[in-house]
């Protein structure tokens, strides 16, 4: 994850702090265990201790070949008779890092602030598991929830797909695949998602050396996740290439200004709007990729979060 080039950007104090702490938690070497250990430590830095404001339970979604571990956050009160509305949260991390702990800085607060269940997914990671393993795990969890959600007091008809970065990729890919199945999610929310494999947008060129995520980093992540280039046109990897957006759910997409992936989210939002899908697009001015972690510390990220909450609420109606 690139640290250089921050001097070329007019970064706020909060963004400079994010770059600094990301460099403090840089891995000792290129070994995947070192990379994950550094990422986990960085995530912990931004995660407050649990405070008892929501119920938290680790569970497993049964699947014959590969059961998937998940973490369920649910409000403290009595569940509605139809079950809690639910956000299925897919974490970022380049399909390579991240786990059930890494994004608790956001999942707990979504549960508390929206009074809905949040289910985060511990999907398989690369390099041990290549495309489409991560996608298939997320799809498995969604279909299980859709069929059996009431077992966990979740309303199967009120599931919103949500993810950041690589998780946004997985959420968008799943929504594209769910079109015309009769089992579409009731909403889609993405923060600085990667949605294609071409990396030929204007933002990829203009923000190629952005701090925290460079274009070179994205190439490395993509090649690690999908080493077979024949997969790069697969809509489960590059949902931006879909020709049909007519049965997509109501959507919220936020991007960071200083991010090679910025145009992915913008173009996807435009395609949704052209298909008459209710869509809100948010450009985080001055933000870097990964800045969602500063949700408590940065006014722009706090604004993004509040706009996202406002956009999520009607998805559950």
């Amino acid at each position: 994850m690139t640290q250089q080039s921050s001097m070329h950007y007019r970064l706020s104090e909060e963004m400079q702090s994010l770059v600094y702490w990301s460099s403090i938690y840089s891995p000792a070497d290129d070994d995947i265990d070192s990379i994950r250990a550094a990422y986990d430590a960085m995530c912990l830095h931004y995660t407050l201790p649990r405070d008892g404001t929501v119920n938290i339970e680790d569970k497993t979604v049964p699947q014959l070949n590969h059961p998937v571990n998940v973490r369920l956050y649910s409000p403290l009160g009595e569940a509605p008779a139809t079950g809690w509305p639910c956000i299925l949260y897919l974490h970022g991390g380049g399909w390579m890092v991240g786990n059930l702990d890494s994004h608790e800085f956001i999942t707990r607060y979504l549960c508390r602030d929206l009074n809905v269940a949040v289910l985060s997914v511990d999907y398989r990671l690369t390099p041990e598991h290549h495309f489409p393993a991560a996608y298939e795990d997320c799809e498995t969890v969604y279909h299980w929830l859709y069929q059996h959600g009431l077992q966990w007091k979740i309303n199967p008809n009120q599931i919103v797909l949500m993810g950041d970065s690589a998780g946004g990729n997985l959420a968008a890919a799943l929504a594209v695949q769910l079109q015309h199945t009769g089992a579409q999610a009731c909403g889609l929310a993405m923060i600085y998602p990667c949605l294609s494999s071409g990396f030929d947008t204007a933002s990829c060129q203009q923000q190629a050396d952005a701090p925290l995520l460079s274009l070179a980093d994205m190439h490395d992540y993509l090649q690690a996740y999908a080493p077979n280039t024949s997969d790069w046109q697969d809509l489960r990897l590059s949902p931006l290439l879909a020709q049909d957006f007519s049965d997509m759910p109501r959507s919220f997409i936020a991007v960071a200004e200083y991010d090679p992936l910025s145009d992915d989210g913008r173009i996807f939002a435009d395609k949704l709007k052209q298909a008459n899908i209710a869509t809100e697009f948010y450009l985080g001015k001055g933000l870097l990729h990964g800045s969602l972690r500063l949700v408590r510390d940065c006014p722009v990220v706090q604004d993004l979060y509040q706009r996202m909450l406002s956009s999520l609420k009607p998805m559950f109606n």
Side-chain angles (χ1 to χ4, degrees):
M1 297 176 191
T2 305
Q3 316 302 336
Q4 77 263 25
S5 305
S6 52
M7 66 287 297
H8 300 313
Y9 291 86
R10 300 180 67 172
L11 300 182
S12 65
E13 284 185 26
E14 295 92 354
M15 291 303 105
Q16 291 176 42
S17 164
L18 188 66
V19 173
Y20 170 76
W21 284 107
S22 297
S23 69
I24 292 294
Y25 291 112
S26 56
D29 53 49
D30 288 337
D31 180 74
I32 188 61
D33 291 332
S34 295
I35 293 169
R36 287 179 182 152
Y39 184 80
D40 291 348
M42 185 268 291
C43 293
L44 191 60
H45 175 87
Y46 288 106
T47 308
L48 292 177
R50 292 180 178 180
D51 57 7
T53 52
V54 300
N55 293 314
I56 304 174
E57 203 177 347
D58 287 356
K59 294 177 171 288
T60 301
V61 169
Q63 209 269 351
L64 197 59
N65 299 321
H66 182 75
V68 186
N69 292 325
V70 294
R71 181 168 293 164
L72 176 61
Y73 304 82
S74 51
L76 296 178
E78 186 76 19
T82 52
W84 293 111
C86 181
I87 292 172
L88 184 62
Y89 195 92
L90 312 175
H91 69 77
W95 307 283
M96 184 181 290
V97 295
N99 49 43
L100 295 179
D101 295 326
S102 64
H103 285 63
E104 195 155 296
F105 72 90
I106 185 74
T107 46
R108 279 204 327 250
Y109 299 96
L110 289 166
C111 174
R112 183 196 68 189
D113 296 342
L114 288 167
N115 202 44
V116 301
V118 177
L119 192 76
S120 63
V121 181
D122 194 18
Y123 57 82
R124 284 172 288 175
L125 300 174
T126 194
E128 296 91 337
H129 305 281
H130 296 135
F131 172 84
Y135 172 82
E136 288 175 345
D137 286 353
C138 299
E139 186 178 59
T140 291
V141 172
Y142 180 84
H143 284 301
W144 189 91
L145 269 190
Y146 194 79
Q147 292 160 4
H148 308 288
L150 273 175
Q151 291 182 25
W152 292 355
K153 298 182 179 176
I154 288 171
N155 185 337
N157 298 312
Q158 289 193 311
I159 302 171
V160 166
L161 299 169
M162 182 173 177
D164 64 285
S165 193
N169 168 274
L170 295 165
L174 188 47
V176 166
Q177 294 300 313
L178 288 169
Q179 291 190 101
H180 314 300
T181 64
Q184 182 61 277
C186 67
L188 171 65
M190 302 183 285
I191 299 128
Y192 35 71
C194 170
L195 298 172
S196 69
S197 56
F199 301 144
D200 53 0
T201 62
S203 66
C204 277
Q205 309 314 313
Q206 292 160 5
Q207 312 294 340
D209 296 318
L212 302 187
L213 185 74
S214 68
L215 187 57
D217 292 332
M218 268 319 305
H219 277 293
D220 290 345
Y221 286 133
L222 176 67
Q223 283 160 355
Y225 177 47
N228 187 344
T229 55
S230 64
D231 289 328
W232 290 8
Q233 306 301 304
D234 192 313
L235 297 187
R236 295 171 301 169
L237 179 66
S238 299
L240 192 58
L241 297 178
Q243 297 298 305
D244 177 17
F245 285 80
S246 63
D247 189 33
M248 289 290 283
R250 185 181 188 120
S251 298
F252 173 86
I253 303 171
V255 300
E257 181 180 13
Y258 302 145
D259 181 352
L261 300 178
S262 183
D263 281 344
D264 276 26
R266 181 186 59 77
I267 295 166
F268 200 86
D270 288 345
K271 289 193 171 190
L272 288 168
K273 289 173 183 174
Q274 287 163 13
N276 294 316
I277 305 299
T279 303
E280 182 175 0
F281 176 74
Y282 183 97
L283 172 62
K285 289 283 192 180
L287 295 187
L288 296 170
H289 192 92
S291 54
L292 187 61
R293 294 179 200 290
L294 297 186
V295 66
R296 289 180 301 276
D297 309 311
C298 174
V300 182
V301 183
Q302 181 60 228
D303 182 62
L304 183 164
Y305 181 69
Q306 292 301 330
R307 287 280 292 277
M308 183 167 69
L309 293 182
S310 298
S311 203
L312 284 162
K313 285 172 185 171
M315 295 180 187
F316 293 115
N317 292 339

